[in-house]
Every structure is written in structure tokens, then in C-alpha cells.
Amino acid sequence: MAEKKTSKTTTRKKTAAKKTRTAKNKKLVIVESPSKAKTIEKYLGSTYQVVASIGHVRDLPKSTLGVDVLDNYQPKYINIRGKGPVIKDLKKAAKNAKQVYLASDPDREGEAIAWHLQYILGLDPEQANRVVFNEITKDTVKNAFKEPRTINQDLVDAQQARRIIDRLVGYSISPVLWKTVKRGLSAGRVQSVALGLIIAREKEIQAFRPEEYWTLDSEFKKGRSKFKANFYGFAGKKQPLPDNAAVQDVMKQLDQEKPFTISAVKAKERKRSPQPPFTTSTMQQAANTQLKFRTRKTMMTAQQLYEGINLGRGLGQVGLITYMRTDSTRLSAVAKNAAAQYIHDEWGEAYSSHKPVAGTPQEGAQDAHEAIRPTDVTKTPSSIKDKLTPDQFKLYSLIWSRFVASLMTPEILDTMAVTVEQNGVLFHANGSKTKFPGFTKAYPAAKEKDNLLPDLAEGDVVDLAKTDSEQHFTMPPARYSEAALIKALEENGVGRPSTYAPTLDTIQRRNYVRVDARKFVPTELGEIVQNIVDDKFPDITDTKFTAQVEHSLDEIEVGDKKWVPVVDEFYKPFSKEVESAEKTLEKITMHDELAGMDCEVCGAPMVVKMGRYGKFYACSRFPDCRNTKAIVQEIGIECPKCHKGQVVERKTKRGRKFYGCSRYPDCDFVSWEKPKADSDDQKNGDKPSKKETSKQ
């Protein structure tokens, strides 16, 4: 065994030595991820070696503040724990390389990663070794390496200022929350605004008082054709129907035996223009509403599409979309021209809003701020579907369709507004029909449904077929979905493309909010934390103040401001608020919700606790008694396997719903499908694996 182990070790050393010799005199390129490295190396050829830093290599320490507030807020960066072997390999590769290029992502964070790598590897700051590109395609990557530049210190400083301000906020407020509420809590600049919006909406909902109103819908017919119209008012004036008495007043004025007259017909043409291509936030919103994707899932899938997918057939690893963190809707001339040519070839000249240009359009300098779009419009979603996962295909289809549609002509609709009258009572009907589909050819999800009316003219007589009145009540404002919250944050100028996904993830992990029917609902803990932050740190939760901080960071990025004065302007008043809060805040006791049952082990009352996977029952004498019990919901059906227990609804670790027996583990019945009463269909049907349901 010892000889075998020695032989394997020797082989590994020889392989490593061979790689080192091979890497000598090569040009070294450092990117963040292995998949990005794999795609780029294919384009650059054998004279380059492309390696990955696996994200950040230096950061502020987790155990301390890491910012010297007495010395111009100088950060105390350290190598990230666990990155030792990666840094060692990077240093070795850089030492043997002919030239080192830093090709991290084309944004503030990417620039900061390159800056930290430059420091760790001891590279010359004056050397042009920074390479940026906003899409990973052969021509774009090769052209970028022809024009390397020095690291943009303004971009680095903007990212550094953001990191330091967020560290000062988090590491100052969090200890206050630990002392007054409980350990493990946190507050952040963008996080607190997001939570504040959710809580403010919940208060609106609770304060809302519904008001009664009625609708009166009628169906008319002309010959064999029927159409629907809604009550409008009297003698040309709109009239609301606040109650049933108002409806009855209308009905009294109508003569059921007398025909109705078409008193007005307005026909016109309406155009619907396409929306611009996606920015990060609009992509997140569309993926949430149309694909039901959570924000984190959207960004993870977009990252995969950007860094490269193996398309096979001699194509290998290919980056399918441009960089996915952007707030720009700009499109390059090359991308516009390619799309125009595709639209002309696929649907004809009438569908394209741009005429294709012969040859290659001229571009200015490399611009990292471009909309999210496919890197090659001819790679249609259907043509590469078999190479993509279902999630990748859905998101790529959305991005591709939105991009192509943005460069197409408007949808043209023929619309008709009709007024039906009798005895001074007016009903309105609106109809529309697609005259020219325009951009909806590429983006069917945006198409309006036709609502056809029969051919009607002023003076036509129609008969009343039926009338339906219905009581309604006004509804409170809807709770925020992920899409709606991102939109609200963006409209308020809070946060940036890269901050939305981690912010929404944090407020859920901290149990400040829960998700009900894909909408955010604040928890008691969330409201307690927010009340403290609102009271003691009002600037942190003020949307205008937070937006101003974002604006200042933008000014640092373009060189209009220096980062130290921006941080100082924020921290001086904030530090006084922290001192005041530490002196005045008192301990808040949170009472657990009683479960309404006693502990089976010791007899003490059981309470409801919140854990990593949701709520569960626990003994109130914890830690003296550690008895816990899952919270399950019976569905009113007897277990089809043992006929003793009840079928209960449970969830896997990943949140997928399944059904099991209440007598588990004595009965191991499980099923993905909801069992039906008096049915044994699920006994041997599709069911979750033991690994998935191990935490029943």
C-alpha cells in the first residue's frame, strides 16, 4: 500500500511539474471562475494560460471591523481564509508567465478583484494589464487583448467606498441589535430600506378599509353576433355604482322590451412599441413574473449563460449572453446590425426598425455598459435547446426574445370604442384586433389578446340578451413580490444591479420576512428590528438618503469625488447615532408563540420556533429538554398504505411539497402526488427518495 501511495504522489508531482514547465513563457490570464476560464482559453490559443481566482482573494476580516476610522477609513484587507492554495498557485503561475493579464468582470467589483490580484502578485500598477469585455465571444475577447489598460482606480475606489460604508453600517448596528433583541441579527444600508418598504406596505394593508361598489355588465346581440358592454353612466356622464340601490335605479330606467341603439362608434389605429432590451433589474422582474424564477436563481442562471455553455458540434464552450450586471439599455452598432439582418431574413423588411448595413459597423471604445442581449442572434433558443438545462433555456429564450423584439417595428391594433344607449343609459364596449403583429412575432408573451366586436355603425339597433350585476369591494395594495420590490428599489435609486439578489436573500435568511404565495410578509422579528433602525438610525432607512449615497458612489466612479470625504460625510453623523443607541436602548424580550400542546417528553408547553427550513415545534424548556416536532398539515385522508395514520403535507429540504404518513417512521408511505380519498393509486407511484425526505 505504501509503495502504491508513493507512486501516486510521484505521478501527481510529475504532472504538476509538467504543467509548470508548459506554463513557462506563456501569457497568463486570470479570471474569476473556472467555466469562464475554459471558454476564454479556447479563444486565445496555446500561447495563453487562463486560470481562475475563484472570486475574491482579499477582503475585510470577518472577526473585526477592519476599517481604521481614525486614519481616513483605511481598510485592513487580509487574504480570505481558505484561499491560500489558490493564491499560491496564482503566484507560481505569475512568476513563470511572460505577461500577466487581469480579466475579471467589467464592473466595479471586477475592477476591485483585479486590483487585489495586482497587489497579491506584486504586479506593476503602471503596467497595462487590465483587460475588459462585456461578452465572451472570440472576436470580442481577442480585440480586448489588443487594447489592455491600467486598472481604473476610480472604479476601485467606488467599490471600496461601498464596501467600507456597508461594513461600518453592518458592524455598528448589528451589535446593538444583538444586545437589545438577540444574536445573529443584522442591518444593512440597502437591506433596511427593502425591509422598510415591505413593512410600510403591510401597514397600508392593515389600515385599508374596503369600500363597496357594483358593476353592471350586459350582453347585446346583433343578428347572430354577441358582444359584452359595461354600464358607463347617464347622458354622457360617468356614474359610479356604490351599492345595489344604484344598480336598481339603472334597471328601472331600462325598458326590457325596447331595443338599444349604437349611439357612437370610434375606430382608430393604435401602436404598441416594444420595450428596450433588459437591464439587470428588468431581467430579474420579467424572470420573476413570467418564469416564476427567484432573483438568486435568475442571476445564477444568467451567470452560466454569460460564462459559457458547451454547444458541442465543434463549437465547444460559448458565451451566450453579454454581461448580466448592467443598468444600461445601450446596444452596440454591431449587435443592432446583426439583429436587423436576422429580422429581415426571418420576417421581412416591414418587421425591422433598423436597416442592416453592409460590412461591419464602426464602434468606438469598448463600453462595458451595454444591455443584456444574446452574443449571437442567430443562435436561436430552439436551435440550442438540447444543449441547455430547462432553466437556461427559459432564461435565454426570454433574453433573446426581448432583445430581438426591441429592434422590431410596433404592433398595430385596430381598436373600436362603442357606446350603446337606451333612455339616456349608456353602456361602453371596447374591442381590438391585431392588424400587424410587429415585435410580437419575436416576443409572443407581449402580444395583446384580440377582443373582437361585430361590425357596428352609428344608428344600428341591438337587442339586450342578458344583464348581470355583481357586488365588489375595493382591494388593498398588493404585497411586494420579488419583481415589485426590485422595481420599487430601482425607482427610489436604492442599490445597484449586483445588490438586489443578496439583499432579498438576506432578509429571508434572517427571518425578517417570510414568503406567502410568492409575496413578502414581514415577521414580528423583522418589525422589531426595523422599528429600532427607524428610531435610532433614521438615515439608514430613508430612501432619499440611501439614494444620495448611491449617487455619491457613482460620482466617485467617474472621478468627480474622492472616496474618503464621501465615507467621512456619512460616518460622522452615523457614529453619533450609534453611541446614542448603545446608551438608550433596552433589552427587548420576544415571546415564543404557544403551540397549544405539551411536550411528549417532559410535559412542558411546546412553542413555535423558526429554523433553517421554516417553523417547527420545540419544548419551551430548551436546552434542558431538546424535544422537537415538525409542523405538519393533515389533508383529511387516511394513509392508503397502513390505514391507521393520516396523510400529511410536508416539504423537502429544498422546499418541494410532498405527502407522507403521520405515523412516520412506523409507516414509510410518501408521494409527490396528493392522494385521493379511498384510493391506493399512490402506493407504488412516483415518490420522493429517502435522501430527499430524510427530515420528515
Side-chain angles (χ1 to χ4, degrees):
M1 285 293 290
E3 288 181 9
K4 198 170 185 181
K5 188 175 181 181
T6 303
S7 176
K8 285 184 178 180
T9 304
T10 305
T11 303
R12 281 199 297 268
K13 286 182 177 179
K14 284 181 178 179
T15 304
K18 186 177 179 182
K19 284 183 177 179
T20 303
R21 286 196 301 272
T22 306
K24 281 186 177 181
N25 298 320
K26 282 190 174 185
K27 297 172 183 177
L28 179 69
V29 181
I30 304 176
V31 297
E32 302 96 317
S33 76
S35 58
K36 184 177 176 181
K38 186 177 180 181
T39 307
I40 291 171
E41 192 165 49
K42 185 190 75 170
Y43 297 144
L44 294 177
S46 60
T47 58
Y48 289 82
Q49 180 192 14
V50 186
V51 296
S53 67
I54 322 293
H56 290 267
V57 289
R58 279 209 314 165
D59 198 5
L60 298 173
K62 288 186 177 180
S63 57
T64 61
L65 179 65
V67 178
D68 191 343
V69 296
L70 300 178
D71 184 18
N72 288 327
Y73 308 98
Q74 290 305 305
K76 300 175 182 178
Y77 293 116
I78 62 169
N79 293 348
I80 295 173
R81 182 178 294 180
K83 283 297 183 77
V86 173
I87 292 172
K88 183 180 178 181
D89 290 344
L90 290 174
K91 284 183 174 179
K92 190 174 183 180
K95 184 179 178 181
N96 292 320
K98 182 179 179 181
Q99 170 72 39
V100 178
Y101 292 104
L102 307 172
S104 44
D105 288 341
D107 56 11
R108 293 176 190 168
E109 190 173 4
E111 202 74 12
I113 289 174
W115 182 68
H116 285 302
L117 285 168
Q118 184 185 74
Y119 174 85
I120 283 177
L121 301 177
L123 303 179
D124 183 1
E126 302 300 319
Q127 190 176 24
N129 56 15
R130 175 75 169 118
V131 177
V132 292
F133 36 81
N134 82 313
E135 62 179 75
I136 305 177
T137 55
K138 187 174 183 179
D139 289 344
T140 302
V141 170
K142 284 196 165 187
N143 289 335
F145 276 86
K146 292 176 183 177
E147 298 179 0
R149 60 168 173 79
T150 57
I151 285 178
N152 185 328
Q153 194 60 41
D154 291 333
L155 281 173
V156 174
D157 288 346
Q159 177 63 21
Q160 191 165 234
R162 173 189 288 280
R163 187 77 183 95
I164 290 170
I165 288 174
D166 288 347
R167 172 57 66 99
L168 291 171
V169 171
Y171 276 51
S172 298
I173 299 181
S174 296
V176 174
L177 297 175
W178 298 350
K179 291 176 184 177
T180 54
V181 188
K182 68 174 185 177
R183 291 191 65 82
L185 303 180
S186 70
R189 199 169 48 83
V190 179
Q191 168 189 323
S192 296
V193 173
L195 180 58
L197 289 171
I198 293 169
I199 291 173
R201 178 58 58 86
E202 194 68 20
K203 288 179 178 177
E204 283 183 62
I205 294 170
Q206 291 170 357
F208 181 81
R209 295 294 176 266
E211 295 181 5
E212 181 185 10
Y213 72 98
W214 286 66
T215 54
L216 184 60
D217 302 327
S218 298
E219 186 175 80
F220 297 94
K221 59 182 180 179
K222 180 190 175 187
R224 294 184 177 180
S225 300
K226 293 182 179 180
F227 66 96
K228 291 182 179 180
N230 307 314
F231 170 75
Y232 178 76
F234 301 104
K237 293 183 179 180
K238 188 172 178 63
Q239 179 68 40
L241 299 173
D243 49 39
N244 190 35
V247 173
Q248 297 309 315
D249 287 343
V250 173
M251 297 302 294
K252 288 175 184 176
Q253 290 198 47
L254 295 177
D255 186 343
Q256 301 294 330
E257 304 299 325
K258 185 179 176 182
F260 287 69
T261 304
I262 304 296
S263 60
V265 176
K266 293 181 180 178
K268 62 180 181 179
E269 190 177 271
R270 179 165 65 91
K271 291 184 178 181
R272 289 181 64 240
S273 297
Q275 293 178 300
F278 285 132
T279 62
T280 303
S281 66
T282 55
M283 176 184 71
Q284 291 170 343
Q285 292 169 49
N288 184 248
T289 54
Q290 296 181 40
L291 306 180
K292 306 296 185 286
F293 279 13
R294 303 292 292 272
T295 306
R296 180 169 289 279
K297 181 178 183 178
T298 299
M299 295 309 293
M300 181 182 70
T301 307
Q303 183 93 26
Q304 295 164 358
L305 295 172
Y306 165 69
E307 292 184 346
I309 303 294
N310 189 351
L311 298 183
R313 296 173 300 205
L315 296 174
Q317 200 89 352
V318 178
L320 293 178
I321 65 169
T322 53
Y323 192 54
M324 64 285 162
R325 293 187 182 94
T326 177
D327 53 11
S328 173
T329 57
R330 188 192 76 85
L331 292 171
S332 69
V334 173
K336 286 181 181 178
N337 192 59
Q341 189 62 61
Y342 177 85
I343 294 164
H344 270 69
D345 295 344
E346 187 72 16
W347 296 297
E349 183 179 355
Y351 285 88
S352 178
S353 60
H354 293 73
K355 289 186 177 181
V357 179
T360 304
Q362 292 296 312
E363 285 282 13
Q366 170 74 33
D367 183 356
H369 298 284
E370 191 178 351
I372 302 169
R373 60 168 176 81
T375 57
D376 182 354
V377 71
T378 63
K379 288 185 174 65
T380 62
S382 59
S383 69
I384 57 173
K385 183 177 182 179
D386 61 328
K387 304 300 179 184
L388 304 176
T389 66
D391 287 343
Q392 290 169 351
F393 174 72
K394 289 175 185 176
L395 188 60
Y396 181 68
S397 298
L398 193 66
I399 293 167
W400 186 93
S401 298
R402 177 82 166 234
F403 163 67
V404 174
S406 72
L407 295 169
M408 294 176 71
T409 49
E411 177 187 25
I412 301 175
L413 302 163
D414 282 332
T415 65
M416 181 186 291
V418 175
T419 302
V420 185
E421 185 175 355
Q422 189 209 71
N423 292 343
V425 180
L426 306 179
F427 289 83
H428 276 186
N430 294 298
S432 64
K433 180 182 178 182
T434 301
K435 182 178 183 180
F436 178 71
F439 73 92
T440 63
K441 276 281 191 181
Y443 201 7
K447 189 180 186 305
E448 279 195 4
K449 290 183 179 179
D450 287 345
N451 178 27
L452 302 178
L453 292 177
D455 290 332
L456 298 168
E458 287 186 23
D460 283 353
V461 173
V462 294
D463 296 318
L464 178 65
K466 63 178 181 178
T467 299
D468 293 319
S469 59
E470 189 174 353
Q471 182 187 37
H472 305 272
F473 291 91
T474 53
M475 299 294 290
R479 288 177 173 139
Y480 283 109
S481 63
E482 283 199 357
L485 185 58
I486 290 170
K487 185 178 181 181
L489 290 170
E490 185 180 39
E491 287 175 345
N492 282 287
V494 175
R496 286 298 179 263
S498 61
T499 64
Y500 297 135
T503 296
L504 301 189
D505 184 57
T506 299
I507 60 176
Q508 292 174 77
R509 282 191 296 103
R510 299 292 185 197
N511 191 32
Y512 295 162
V513 299
R514 61 183 176 85
V515 178
D516 182 14
R518 301 180 65 243
K519 301 290 178 68
F520 289 120
V521 183
T523 63
E524 179 191 5
L525 177 60
E527 291 181 353
I528 289 172
V529 168
Q530 193 67 17
N531 286 339
I532 293 172
V533 179
D534 277 338
D535 183 41
K536 300 300 181 181
F537 311 99
D539 284 345
I540 298 300
T541 57
D542 180 49
T543 54
K544 290 182 180 178
F545 176 82
T546 306
Q548 181 55 48
V549 172
E550 295 291 352
H551 181 66
S552 296
L553 294 174
D554 292 341
E555 290 181 302
I556 296 171
E557 179 177 333
V558 296
D560 290 343
K561 281 188 176 181
K562 296 299 181 182
W563 74 269
V564 173
V566 169
V567 176
D568 190 57
E569 185 182 356
F570 166 82
Y571 184 69
K572 280 185 176 176
F574 173 70
S575 62
K576 293 177 182 177
E577 292 176 345
V578 174
E579 288 178 19
S580 174
E582 289 175 337
K583 293 175 182 177
T584 58
L585 276 173
E586 297 179 357
K587 181 71 177 176
I588 296 172
T589 303
M590 289 189 65
H591 299 286
D592 291 318
E593 177 188 348
L594 291 173
M597 66 178 78
D598 292 333
C599 176
E600 299 165 348
V601 177
C602 70
M606 295 286 277
V607 294
V608 179
K609 293 282 189 181
M610 175 61 73
R612 185 178 177 185
Y613 301 112
K615 290 183 177 181
F616 65 96
Y617 295 132
C619 181
S620 58
R621 292 182 61 246
F622 178 87
D624 296 325
C625 178
R626 294 179 175 269
N627 182 34
T628 61
K629 192 175 181 181
I631 296 177
V632 295
Q633 179 182 347
E634 293 186 357
I635 65 171
I637 295 175
E638 184 184 84
C639 175
K641 187 169 185 178
C642 70
H643 300 288
K644 296 178 181 178
Q646 289 289 311
V647 175
V648 293
E649 186 181 289
R650 301 182 187 272
K651 286 186 178 180
T652 66
K653 288 182 180 181
R654 295 188 177 183
R656 185 178 176 187
K657 189 187 297 182
F658 72 97
Y659 299 89
C661 181
S662 60
R663 295 180 62 247
Y664 176 86
D666 295 328
C667 175
D668 63 357
F669 165 75
V670 284
S671 173
W672 288 126
E673 302 298 325
K674 185 175 182 178
K676 298 176 182 178
D678 302 318
S679 172
D680 292 333
D681 292 346
Q682 279 76 22
K683 274 190 180 179
N684 301 306
D686 182 30
K687 60 184 182 180
S689 65
K690 287 184 179 180
K691 186 177 180 181
E692 288 174 303
T693 61
S694 60
K695 293 259 179 183
Q696 255 202 52

